[in-house]
Structure formats: C-alpha cells, structure tokens
Amino acid sequence: MDENGVRINKFLSEAGVCSRREADRQIEAGNVVIDGKTAGTGARVLPSQEVIFCGKPVKKENEMILLAFYKPAGIVCTTEKREKDNVVDYIHYPKRIYPVGRLDKDTEGLLLITNDGPLAHALLSPGRHVDKEYECHLAHTFDAHQRELLEQGVDIGEQKKCRPAVVRILEEKKITLTITEGRFHQVKRMLHAVGNEVVYLKRIRMDRLQLEDSLEKGAYRRLTDEEVESLRGG
Ligand code: URA
C-alpha cells in the first residue's frame, strides 16, 4: 500500500462492501466517515483508521479476495478437506476462500476463487448468462452438422435444451465452445450429443476475463480493480 493509504472508494470495494461506483455515490451522499470525519471524494484511508459506511464500521477482515487461478488437471473444485486433491489446500491461501463454480477434475483452465459470496452467487446465477469459453480437443473431426446443432441449442437429455452455443473452429479436431450456462459436465455432454467426444478441455475465458499466457498452470493472481468491477457488471 501507498504510504498515504488507499483511496476510500478502492478501500470499500476491496473490503467487499460495495463497488467503487456505489462507494462514490455514498461518499457524495455523505454516508462515509473516516475517523469521525465525513469523507470527501478522493479521501484516502490508512490501515490504522476507522471507516464507517452507512452507519456501520467496515471490518478489515472483510477484504474482498478474487483470484484468477489456472487450474491444472487432477485438482478437485471442492472445499472438502477430506478430498486430498481439493483446490483450497492446493492454493494454500492465508484466508478462507472457495471456488466460483466447478471444473471437472480432468478439466484445466480459468477458475475464479473468492471469499465474496454475493459475487460468486451473481456469476453463477442461471439468469446472468455469463459467457464461459472452452478450448475442446476432440476425438473425431468436427463437421458443419455438429456446429449447426451446437449453435441451435443441443438436447443433452434434460428437460430443457441447452442454450445456443458459439463455436470457433481452430483445427480439424479442435474448437472453442462458448456457453452461457453451467450444467453438469455440460461441454462434454454437448459434444457427445452431437456425435463427438471431448478428449481434453480447458476453460479459456469467463465473461471478459481471459486466461492469459502469463499465468502459469497451477498459479493464481489477484484480479485488478477494473477486472473486479467488470465482473460485477460495472
Ligand atoms: N463442461 C464440462 O463438461 N466440464 C467442465 O469441467 C466444464 C464444463
């Protein structure tokens, strides 16, 4: 942290209190107090200072954590400690965190990890239709008919068909598939339903957040404020 502290809107958003935009609104409305004084826009906060937001003290333990993790194959998306390959032990973060949704044990790629329940809930909410893009290596040649079926919305044996997916063909047996739902084994089942099979799966994007080349497999990084805002829908 800067020796002058952090800006109050950033402090509040990192504490998981609200988005920066909402913080700015509340600051303007005079609802944010630092050490007994009403905060102005651009005010800064030091770790030793007490912040009151809409009448309630902001606890530092509430600091919001949102990590982009490059999940390797073999790691299980669970907080269950009895599962020896659980993602929480693997990441070994000093605070309590959990994965936002699941990737299969053999799936690799971008997994968000957070301590922010409402954000995780919003991202997973069926109504939000967050884009999830997967690189799929296939057992058989991918053809135009398979593409058409996936783009129309394929039946995987549930009450409702899948929503239409977006297909990008990379090679004869390699595509990316973008889906907006999170059904169990969805990508594998969709490809199976059109007569193909997934032999390797990697999530490469969630919403506007790409799995960038600089993040090594097994590593994680904290998201920037802009990325957090963008995922919050800001
Ligand atoms: N679809 C799957 O089939 N598996 C995953 O891990 C994610 C999406």
Side-chain angles (χ1 to χ4, degrees):
M1 185 193 304
D2 193 295
E3 61 180 11
N4 300 316
V6 291
R7 277 176 76 109
I8 180 67
N9 57 358
K10 182 165 189 245
F11 173 90
L12 289 168
S13 116
E14 283 182 352
V17 172
C18 61
S19 68
R20 282 214 231 176
R21 205 174 288 173
E22 178 60 16
D24 287 335
R25 274 195 284 267
Q26 295 298 341
I27 294 161
E28 258 180 42
N31 291 332
V32 179
V33 175
I34 304 172
D35 277 354
K37 282 197 193 130
T38 304
T41 314
R44 302 182 81 87
V45 190
L46 292 165
S48 57
Q49 290 185 300
E50 190 196 37
V51 177
I52 311 278
F53 179 83
C54 295
K56 285 195 194 140
V58 176
K59 290 202 197 105
K60 306 257 170 44
E61 312 86 80
N62 283 352
E63 184 196 26
M64 203 272 275
I65 299 156
L66 188 55
L67 311 175
F69 170 54
Y70 186 165
K71 177 194 171 303
I75 300 303
V76 182
C77 293
T78 178
T79 54
E80 178 54 72
K81 296 283 191 168
R82 276 173 297 184
E83 165 58 63
K84 74 172 173 43
D85 297 317
N86 73 78
V87 65
V88 178
D89 283 349
Y90 184 88
I91 290 187
H92 199 64
Y93 199 78
K95 288 192 178 161
R96 203 161 151 247
I97 47 164
Y98 51 88
V100 178
R102 282 164 190 265
L103 290 176
D104 297 337
K105 188 170 181 178
D106 60 356
T107 300
E108 299 193 329
L110 180 62
L111 180 70
L112 294 180
I113 309 272
T114 191
N115 65 346
D116 184 324
L119 178 61
H121 191 72
L123 288 169
L124 296 173
S125 140
R128 171 104 188 254
H129 300 312
V130 171
D131 274 1
K132 281 152 290 215
E133 185 172 4
Y134 293 86
E135 182 181 304
C136 315
H137 299 199
L138 304 169
H140 314 292
T141 300
F142 187 76
D143 63 32
H145 183 56
Q146 293 174 16
R147 178 181 201 150
E148 202 181 312
L149 293 172
L150 292 167
E151 287 177 345
Q152 278 167 3
V154 74
D155 183 351
I156 57 171
E158 292 186 359
Q159 231 178 13
K160 269 190 169 178
K161 280 187 181 177
C162 294
R163 287 167 55 85
V166 175
V167 176
R168 271 196 301 143
I169 298 179
L170 304 177
E171 290 171 19
E172 196 184 315
K173 296 183 186 174
K174 203 195 274 187
I175 64 166
T176 80
L177 192 68
T178 303
I179 60 172
T180 54
E181 301 159 296
R183 304 192 200 185
F184 187 59
H185 297 325
Q186 183 166 345
V187 173
K188 292 173 186 164
R189 287 163 71 205
M190 287 171 78
L191 267 307
H192 178 76
V194 301
N196 214 317
E197 294 302 330
V198 172
V199 293
Y200 170 81
L201 192 60
K202 175 170 156 187
R203 182 152 68 194
I204 57 171
R205 181 172 64 86
M206 252 185 105
D207 205 43
R208 275 171 269 176
L209 191 68
Q210 301 273 354
L211 179 70
E212 68 272 76
D213 293 340
S214 54
L215 191 64
E216 281 180 24
K217 200 184 290 186
Y220 65 80
R221 69 167 178 88
R222 263 188 107 132
L223 296 196
T224 64
D225 296 337
E226 289 70 29
E227 287 168 331
V228 173
E229 282 301 303
S230 159
L231 282 169
R232 279 191 196 280

